[in-house]
């Protein structure tokens, strides 16, 4: 699951970068970055959990 969360977080970061280049609304860019940070936290939490799935 860690790689899944990392891939989703990277996708949201790339999406935010695209919208930065196209000069979209700053709050929409911030929302995408917050979502990316949330998935990054989920990846970190999953990788450091005691009970990992095989």
């Amino acid at each position: 699951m860690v790689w899944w969360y990392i891939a989703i977080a990277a996708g949201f970061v790339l999406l935010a970068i695209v919208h930065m280049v196209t000069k979209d609304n700053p709050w929409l860019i911030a929302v995408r970055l917050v979502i990316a940070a949330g998935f990054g936290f989920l990846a970190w939490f999953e990788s450091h959990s005691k009970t990992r799935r095989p």
Side-chain angles (χ1 to χ4, degrees):
M1 290 297 288
V2 174
W3 290 109
W4 180 254
Y5 291 139
I6 290 172
I8 295 172
F12 273 104
V13 168
L14 290 174
L15 192 60
I17 290 170
V18 166
H19 285 273
M20 280 184 214
V21 170
T22 60
K23 298 185 185 346
D24 199 5
N25 289 332
W27 69 274
L28 290 174
I29 295 168
V31 167
R32 289 178 180 99
L33 290 174
V34 167
I35 293 170
F39 277 107
F41 175 74
L42 283 173
W44 177 85
F45 189 74
E46 184 76 19
S47 69
H48 286 81
S49 67
K50 299 277 187 209
T51 57
R52 295 179 70 184
R53 287 180 254 174

